[in-house]
């Protein structure tokens, strides 16, 4: 009996240990079971593409200006006109040219324009005959003047390069022998004789029947590889206004636009704007008091690089009709 009571605590202790171990096992097994059946977190919602709202029907994309365009017929001959005086020191000359639109060819007046940066020069665009069409190659700004089809635009653009001025440091110097500058406004000038080695005519395109047979020089090919800048915003607006002016359509002006050149971009009615020789007179304003002849051969058939001569403004009263023997024939030559 005594032995039974002495063994009972041991058995109870053993039983308690077994129960403790069993409880621990059950607890651990419960954790394992709960961990094994835990649901994974939900995936993020897929991205939803939201298309931009359509443009209103009344808003049309802006038409490309001076982009590469094609025409089935050759552009007209370049008109003969005078260059307005440079209005601001630092402005560069951009020659006029024939552009093409839905109404046919229209004249983009030559103008003085601010360059996009110091040291850049303007390479004019040109029409070139490619295959069976005439393709317009847009002009650009760059450190050197590139190929512009050999077209003699005048006023320093004699078909190859540019002789109307040069950059001297951060200032532009103007060659007075081929450009019209007002020395009271422009002080950085020089005089340098220009010798033209190309045929001087009024042809406005390269290649094809009757076109100019010119190819890029090695220097012009190198210039084409340099960094370029497209026409400035002022030039783009200038072209847009020309395209919307019916008087500048070749079919309306017969190749002699009444607005052939302007002192600033888009200044079509400015006092310094000039018309082509033989164009219908404009009543908005008189001709400028000082102009530079845009005639490469000059009045006597020479090189025509004389200094600008004062020209009297038009009188307000009508002129009497000239006598037959006093009538003069317009020179069939291109710009200087």
């Amino acid at each position: 009996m005594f032995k039974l009571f002495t063994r009972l605590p041991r058995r109870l202790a053993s039983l308690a240990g077994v129960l403790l171990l069993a409880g621990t096992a059950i607890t651990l097994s419960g954790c394992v079971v709960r961990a094994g059946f835990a649901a994974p977190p939900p995936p993020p919602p897929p991205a939803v593409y939201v298309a931009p709202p359509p443009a209103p029907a009344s808003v049309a994309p802006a038409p490309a200006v001076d982009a590469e365009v094609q025409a089935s017929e050759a552009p007209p001959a370049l008109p003969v006109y005078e260059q307005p005086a440079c209005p601001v020191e630092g402005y560069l000359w951009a020659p006029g040219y024939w552009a093409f639109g839905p109404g046919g060819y229209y004249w983009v007046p030559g103008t003085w324009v601010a360059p996009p940066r110091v040291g850049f020069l303007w390479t004019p665009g040109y029409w070139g005959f490619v295959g069976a069409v005439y393709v317009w190659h847009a002009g650009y700004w760059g450190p050197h003047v590139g190929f512009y089809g050999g077209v003699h635009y005048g006023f320093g653009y004699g078909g190859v390069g540019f002789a109307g001025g040069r950059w001297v440091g951060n200032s532009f110097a103007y060659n007075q022998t081929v450009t019209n500058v007002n020395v009271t406004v422009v002080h950085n000038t020089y005089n340098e004789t220009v010798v033209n080695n190309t045929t001087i005519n009024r042809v406005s395109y390269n290649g094809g029947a009757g076109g100019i047979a010119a190819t890029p020089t090695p220097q012009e090919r190198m210039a084409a590889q340099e960094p370029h800048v497209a026409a400035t915003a002022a030039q783009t607006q200038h072209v847009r206004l020309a395209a919307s002016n019916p008087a500048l359509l070749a079919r309306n002006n017969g190749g002699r636009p009444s607005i052939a050149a302007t002192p600033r971009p888009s200044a079509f009615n400015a006092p310094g704007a000039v018309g082509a020789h033989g164009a219908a007179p404009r009543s908005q304003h008189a001709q400028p008091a000082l102009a530079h002849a845009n005639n490469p051969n000059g009045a006597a058939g020479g090189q025509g690089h004389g200094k600008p001569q004062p020209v009297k403004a038009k009188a307000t009263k009508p002129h009497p009709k000239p006598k037959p023997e006093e009538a003069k024939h317009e020179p069939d030559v291109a710009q200087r």
Side-chain angles (χ1 to χ4, degrees):
M1 190 71 178
F2 176 77
K3 291 181 180 180
L4 178 62
F5 285 103
T6 57
R7 294 176 181 174
L8 183 59
R10 294 180 186 176
R11 292 178 179 177
L12 291 175
S14 299
L15 182 59
V18 171
L19 293 174
L20 180 62
L21 292 174
T24 304
I26 293 173
T27 302
L28 293 175
S29 62
C31 293
V32 172
V33 170
R34 286 193 296 270
F37 290 91
V48 179
Y49 173 75
V50 179
S58 60
V59 178
V65 175
D66 254 1
E68 183 177 282
V69 295
Q70 298 181 1
S72 59
E73 58 182 292
L78 295 172
V80 179
Y81 62 94
E82 300 168 346
Q83 185 186 46
C86 180
V88 179
E89 196 164 37
Y91 273 32
L92 273 65
W93 178 251
Y97 61 92
W98 292 106
F100 190 81
Y105 284 104
Y106 63 93
W107 180 252
V108 177
T111 190
W112 290 98
V113 62
R117 65 185 65 171
V118 172
F120 267 25
L121 300 170
W122 175 247
T123 296
Y126 70 96
W127 288 97
F129 186 78
V130 180
V133 296
Y134 296 89
V135 178
W136 172 252
H137 303 271
Y140 57 86
W141 293 94
H144 300 91
V145 175
F147 182 66
Y148 50 93
V151 178
H152 184 70
Y153 286 111
F155 312 116
Y157 290 100
V160 178
F162 177 61
R166 53 176 175 254
W167 286 98
V168 181
N170 293 331
S171 301
F172 188 80
Y174 301 83
N175 186 4
Q176 285 189 279
T177 61
V178 291
T179 57
N180 183 14
V181 293
N182 186 344
V183 293
T184 61
V185 176
V186 177
H187 307 287
N188 196 10
T189 62
Y190 65 95
N191 290 279
E192 184 176 274
T193 302
V194 177
V195 178
N196 289 311
N197 296 321
T198 59
T199 302
I200 300 174
N201 52 41
R202 297 172 56 198
V203 178
S204 60
Y205 61 95
N206 178 279
I212 299 171
T215 56
T217 64
Q219 293 78 10
E220 289 172 332
R221 293 183 185 276
M222 292 178 60
Q225 304 301 322
E226 296 176 333
H228 296 158
V229 176
T232 64
Q235 290 176 287
T236 301
Q237 179 66 14
H238 185 75
V239 177
R240 291 187 190 277
L241 289 179
S244 63
N245 192 327
L248 296 178
L249 284 170
R251 66 185 185 185
N252 293 338
N253 57 44
R256 296 180 175 183
S258 58
I259 308 172
T262 64
R264 298 172 185 267
S266 305
F268 290 177
N269 293 322
V274 299
H277 290 184
R282 289 178 295 144
S283 59
Q284 290 89 341
H285 58 79
Q287 296 293 335
L290 180 63
H292 193 44
N294 190 20
N295 182 347
N297 293 333
Q303 291 298 322
H305 296 302
K307 294 183 179 180
Q309 298 296 326
V311 180
K312 294 183 179 179
K314 288 185 176 180
T316 55
K317 61 181 181 179
H319 291 282
K321 294 183 178 180
K323 297 179 180 180
E325 62 272 11
E326 294 178 353
K328 294 184 178 179
H329 179 68
E330 284 291 335
D332 188 20
V333 290
Q335 298 92 322
R336 295 180 42 168

